[in-house]
Amino acid sequence: MVVVAAAGMLAGADMARRAARPVTGGLLPIAVFGLLGLGWSLMTFKVDRRRGGRAAVTLAPAAYEALFPLGDPAGAGIVALLTTVFDWAAHRRGLLQGAFNVGQVLAAAWAGTRAAEAVTAATPGLPGIGAGALAGAAVFTAINFALTYAAMSLATGRSARDSGVISYAALSNEIVVGCFAALLALSWSAHPALLVVSVVPPTLLFLILSRLEEREGALRRRQKELQSLQELGLRVSAQLDTTTLASVATQIVAHDLRARGAVLAFVGDSEYELRVAAVSDRREEINVPPRLPRGGFDGPFLARREPMIGDPVAVRRFPELSLFGVTSFIAHPLWILGEPAGVLAVYDDGGREPFGAEDARRLSALVRFIEVALDNAKLYDDLREMQQQLIQTEKMTAMGQLVSGVAHELNNPLATISGTAELVEQRSLPEDVARMVRRIRREADRASRIVRSLLTFSRAHKPEVGWHSLNPIVEEVLELRSYECRVRNITLTHELDPDLPLVRVDPHQIHQVLLNLVTNAVHAIEETDRPGLILVRTYREGDTVRLEVSDNGPGIPEENLGKLFNPFFTTKEVGKGTGLGLSICYGIVREHRGRISVRSVPGRGATFTVELPIPDEPAPAEPTPVPAAASAQAPPPDGKGRRVLVADDEAGIREVLREALEAWGFTVDTVPDGHRGLERLRERRYDLAILDLRMPGLDGQGLYDRARAEGLTFPPVIFSTGDAVSAEARSFLDRVAAPVLLKPFSLAGLREAIEAATTGVSPRDTAPAAG
Ligand code: ADP
């Protein structure tokens, strides 16, 4: 192509030198045919070739070919040059192609002119359309098309025939144009006015055909659009995973709109950020962070649900797009299940003309498909999550049953061990024996704490709910932990929603949940060397209140995420972790009809979220007052002259209770089951009864009900249990409003229960913190 362009330029220079001689036919034909050439080059249209592909059909060459027979080869060269340059500009062809075309016509015109001159010189005396003129036209046409074919077959790497250049349509066009050029020359030489007759009909025909072709082009484009929509529909509807879907959607959209790239981002947890789900960019080096500032893609933009076309000026208002080196873009809000959920933007960096209304319309059409697919993906995600929750709940229920059975079996011996040790401790003992007894008690207490935690997990405690705000609980826990965090170089901060609605919770239990979460975060951060950060947030989300604890610790490996809430799952060294903290949290949150979940980016930290339902009933103006915890150091009860009935099937516990109570001055009668207890109650009056809830034969509840039914006067009563309190037992306890002594118990716990039973003030049975 370059060679032809250069040869053409040389030929042009030679012609220019020769054109210094007056143009043979005068300026008028050049002007008239020049104008015709320009006009016709605008009426180009394409026809289907027999071998496939499309060939351009145009009348423009007739304008200069006609000048050869009119004996003006130099004029033909000028008009050819003009027409070619105009065609190049009007159809925005490439620079190389333009240079080639100009060179091509100049070279052909030069050869044609020389041929005409030579033949004219050889056959003098022939006026008008002479042999020289015809030879010039023939040489011009032959060279012009030879060059076209050579260039095309070079460019396509195939022979001119195979590449379809020498096609039926192309040859017909050449013949038609040649004949038409002869007709024009004849008309002009007969009388210039006759030109109108020969020009108007074919021009009109071409005008109509080119208009028709334009229409057809629009139809074709629409058809292509529909095809790509259909393709998009098929590809995206096959995806149920949001991430893959986002990636497919960006690829299709960027390709379809011939854009540099596309980005799909979701509205994040924060109202200032967008979470990038997928980027499809033709430049490989682009590196997009997972979060972008939300900037101009704000609520009102998303709510409008219409595309926004960003021209180079508007782009400046969207600094978040500067990452992509954007010069123009279209952004479209994405709605999922009826809610604004994100943005899909296509952008360009100057490689194509700026996006326009037609592109925006097209993007809107694509977005409609993508939204439907995103709806489905979201529904599927929700379903999968619910399924996982169900599996987790099932697993936990099974584990809870197992755990509560084990705890029950352990509780009675533990109660005996720790009670006896406590009683022995109160004697005066040689120091070495006292130390050993203390050790027994300490270890028994530790075992008791573990058993208590297990019972908390397996719903031993029904939350004592009232209307409370989570905010004061958070403040309390943070205050408790702030010193510890400061010395460990951990920043403990909070973001509390001041308008957080009240929820129905047991504040002590939520306190414990938060304490466990913060303790875990502290432990996790300690594994890293960097300064720690723990953020506790409360906020409202739909009809739930959320409590969130995030840390910048090492995070949680993917494979552990499913096991965290299992009892005894721990990655901590022996002595530091029991693996019960999170299972307790799970038990408590479930009892509150809430949910606890965890997200983590390994290496960057973890976020635990507790969701608690906002009750349907209206909240009171003020939260429920929190009862003060009973003092653990209440004075020992005065048992002088008072008689106690103890019913328990465990001999060890009967002994411990007898010894402890006798030490406080009580007279104690013990029985191993309910039947014998009933007999004792019939025989005499008691001042207090301590009844095990679960005994063979007649249990504590049975004993109480039978005695009442017989009309016996029943003393103040304490129910003891080493078991998870079943819902049935719980409603019984609520009905009789009796204190519960959880086994294993301490002497202080026993004192409190006696105090509560005789004065009617109920003690709290808080479970210990684990972790
Ligand atoms: P424990 O703290 O006794 O190990 P937990 O049930 O509280 O028991 O926690 C179980 C495990 O969960 C921990 O051993 C730890 O591996 C993991 N874990 C809990 N919280 C975090 C956290 N914030 N960051 C990293 N890992 C955590």
Side-chain angles (χ1 to χ4, degrees):
M1 280 200 172
V2 177
V3 175
V4 173
M9 299 307 151
L10 285 175
D14 185 56
M15 281 203 294
R17 187 174 57 77
R18 286 157 178 278
R21 280 182 276 140
V23 187
T24 352
L27 284 175
L28 185 65
I30 295 183
V32 171
F33 285 96
L35 281 174
L36 284 173
L38 301 190
W40 286 331
S41 61
L42 289 177
M43 293 175 206
T44 310
F45 66 92
K46 291 190 170 146
V47 293
D48 287 333
R49 283 196 307 241
R50 283 209 181 150
R51 286 153 163 266
R54 292 160 68 73
V57 180
T58 171
L59 281 179
Y64 41 87
E65 283 177 21
L67 283 169
F68 281 99
L70 287 176
D72 193 355
I78 294 169
V79 172
L81 182 63
L82 275 177
T83 315
T84 309
V85 171
F86 182 75
D87 173 79
W88 171 72
H91 296 111
R92 296 188 186 186
R93 305 200 197 280
L95 203 61
L96 186 61
Q97 193 188 348
F100 170 80
N101 287 344
V102 169
Q104 175 190 13
V105 291
L106 285 177
W110 178 82
T113 316
R114 300 306 301 267
E117 282 170 5
V119 173
T120 310
T123 54
L126 282 176
I129 306 170
L134 287 177
V139 169
F140 172 86
T141 311
I143 291 188
N144 197 12
F145 289 98
L147 285 176
T148 304
Y149 299 151
M152 287 294 279
S153 55
L154 275 178
T156 55
R158 287 180 293 176
S159 73
R161 209 183 144 68
D162 279 353
S163 65
V165 178
I166 304 181
S167 64
Y168 175 75
L171 286 177
S172 325
N173 186 38
E174 304 310 341
I175 294 165
V176 169
V177 168
C179 295
F180 186 51
L183 177 69
L184 293 180
L186 270 173
S187 323
W188 180 267
S189 56
H191 192 281
L194 277 180
L195 196 62
V196 180
V197 183
S198 45
V199 162
V200 171
T203 306
L204 279 178
L205 181 67
F206 264 63
L207 194 64
I208 291 166
L209 288 177
S210 70
R211 284 284 160 274
L212 275 177
E213 205 227 1
E214 238 169 61
R215 287 278 170 83
E216 197 194 322
L219 273 176
R220 254 179 231 278
R221 276 198 301 281
R222 189 54 66 89
Q223 194 185 11
K224 222 180 114 211
E225 197 173 296
L226 282 174
Q227 258 170 4
S228 65
L229 275 180
Q230 191 186 19
E231 189 202 339
L232 172 88
L234 286 174
R235 278 183 71 188
V236 297
S237 60
Q239 300 298 336
L240 280 175
D241 173 61
T242 310
T243 318
T244 324
L245 180 62
S247 158
V248 171
T250 50
Q251 281 165 21
I252 293 179
V253 167
H255 176 259
D256 207 63
L257 285 143
R258 291 181 299 111
R260 176 59 76 183
V263 55
L264 194 157
F266 291 116
V267 176
D269 298 333
S270 146
E271 58 183 297
Y272 306 109
E273 278 185 342
L274 288 172
R275 193 163 45 78
V276 176
V279 179
S280 163
D281 196 292
R282 279 187 276 151
R283 296 163 293 186
E284 287 194 346
E285 73 278 14
I286 195 138
N287 190 7
V288 182
R291 287 176 189 271
L292 293 176
R294 206 154 137 187
F297 303 126
D298 51 7
F301 160 70
L302 295 182
R304 271 196 302 278
R305 215 175 176 181
E306 274 172 11
M308 167 166 62
I309 304 175
D311 54 28
V313 179
V315 165
R316 274 185 240 127
R317 283 190 287 118
F318 292 87
E320 57 276 28
L321 290 171
S322 63
L323 266 176
F324 302 95
V326 167
T327 54
S328 102
F329 72 88
I330 317 177
H332 203 298
L334 288 176
W335 281 46
I336 301 180
L337 298 178
E339 303 234 344
V343 183
L344 175 63
V346 284
Y347 53 85
D348 203 65
D349 59 354
R352 53 159 286 161
E353 68 274 19
F355 292 110
E358 174 63 14
D359 297 305
R361 190 191 58 72
R362 202 158 159 60
L363 182 63
S364 291
L366 294 171
V367 160
R368 274 197 289 280
F369 273 90
I370 294 167
E371 282 181 339
V372 172
L374 282 171
D375 282 354
N376 288 340
K378 174 88 174 52
L379 286 173
Y380 181 71
D381 275 355
D382 288 354
L383 195 73
R384 220 170 30 174
E385 198 185 322
M386 229 153 76
Q387 207 176 26
Q388 267 165 7
Q389 282 279 330
L390 268 177
I391 292 171
Q392 178 78 355
T393 309
E394 290 266 304
K395 192 169 77 178
M396 291 302 195
T397 309
M399 233 178 237
Q401 280 165 359
L402 180 77
V403 149
S404 85
V406 173
H408 173 69
E409 291 308 317
L410 285 177
N411 263 339
N412 287 319
L414 271 176
T416 312
I417 297 171
S418 70
T420 311
E422 215 177 334
L423 285 171
V424 175
E425 248 185 318
Q426 287 172 355
R427 305 261 166 93
S428 59
L429 299 167
E431 183 44 35
D432 53 342
V433 179
R435 211 174 37 244
M436 285 190 263
V437 174
R438 270 201 300 278
R439 191 157 66 227
I440 294 176
R441 192 167 147 221
R442 197 176 59 234
E443 293 305 305
D445 282 351
R446 191 172 133 209
S448 311
R449 276 201 303 277
I450 294 180
V451 169
R452 282 271 186 118
S453 305
L454 287 176
L455 287 175
T456 309
F457 162 68
S458 64
R459 49 178 30 226
H461 302 276
K462 193 167 189 318
E464 289 182 12
V465 294
W467 290 95
H468 298 281
S469 163
L470 298 189
N471 291 347
I473 303 178
V474 174
E475 280 163 352
E476 209 176 281
V477 171
L478 295 203
E479 203 181 301
L480 216 68
R481 287 285 153 156
S482 68
Y483 174 73
E484 184 197 354
C485 286
R486 237 187 353 264
V487 295
R488 291 170 197 234
N489 196 16
I490 296 172
T491 314
L492 184 57
T493 55
H494 59 275
E495 273 173 27
L496 305 182
D497 178 355
D499 302 320
L500 201 66
L502 299 184
V503 274
R504 286 185 56 76
V505 293
D506 179 330
H508 294 93
Q509 292 195 348
I510 300 300
H511 184 284
Q512 189 186 349
V513 168
L514 183 57
L515 202 62
N516 286 352
L517 296 180
V518 171
T519 306
N520 276 342
V522 170
H523 286 168
I525 288 172
E526 280 185 327
E527 287 175 28
T528 65
D529 296 333
R530 46 179 189 260
L533 185 69
I534 301 176
L535 171 65
V536 182
R537 290 174 62 209
T538 59
Y539 58 93
R540 180 188 183 146
E541 176 87 34
D543 51 6
T544 61
V545 157
R546 306 227 171 153
L547 172 64
E548 204 176 85
V549 181
S550 321
D551 64 69
N552 66 343
I556 298 156
E558 178 96 30
E559 67 269 20
N560 286 350
L561 281 178
K563 304 183 223 158
L564 286 195
F565 298 102
N566 294 355
F568 301 115
F569 174 80
T570 182
T571 56
K572 297 176 189 169
E573 62 208 63
V574 181
K576 194 166 181 188
T578 56
L580 288 175
L582 288 178
S583 42
I584 289 173
C585 295
Y586 181 89
I588 292 178
V589 174
R590 190 185 51 186
E591 278 298 295
H592 281 81
R593 290 184 293 118
R595 260 181 54 170
I596 180 165
S597 56
V598 58
R599 297 195 302 277
S600 172
V601 182
R604 295 232 202 129
T607 300
F608 285 85
T609 309
V610 174
E611 276 173 49
L612 295 168
I614 299 174
D616 289 337
E617 68 226 83
E622 290 295 320
T624 318
V626 182
S631 156
Q633 289 308 316
D638 181 10
K640 286 240 165 49
R642 293 159 82 192
R643 190 175 272 274
V644 189
L645 175 66
V646 172
D648 201 303
D649 57 329
E650 284 278 329
I653 296 199
R654 287 200 302 272
E655 309 264 296
V656 171
L657 283 175
R658 173 196 290 285
E659 283 173 32
L661 292 165
E662 282 179 354
W664 290 330
F666 287 98
T667 311
V668 183
D669 288 338
T670 61
V671 289
D673 61 46
H675 290 296
R676 265 173 267 186
L678 197 59
E679 281 166 19
R680 291 295 173 91
L681 281 171
R682 286 187 195 124
E683 286 163 13
R684 61 158 23 103
R685 254 202 71 199
Y686 282 93
D687 300 298
L688 181 68
I690 302 178
L691 311 179
D692 189 5
L693 264 184
R694 222 212 267 193
M695 285 184 288
L698 189 63
D699 63 9
Q701 179 180 347
L703 165 59
Y704 182 87
D705 285 343
R706 290 268 288 272
R708 278 291 162 106
E710 287 184 22
L712 300 174
T713 36
F714 210 91
V717 61
I718 298 169
F719 287 97
S720 68
T721 177
D723 208 353
V725 181
S726 66
E728 192 195 344
R730 172 60 65 182
S731 72
F732 164 72
L733 290 172
D734 286 347
R735 174 159 59 85
V736 299
V740 180
L741 185 60
L742 285 181
K743 293 186 220 169
F745 49 82
S746 62
L747 294 187
L750 178 61
R751 263 200 315 259
E752 275 177 35
I754 294 174
E755 170 93 6
T758 47
T759 60
V761 178
S762 144
R764 288 201 40 81
D765 44 20
T766 39

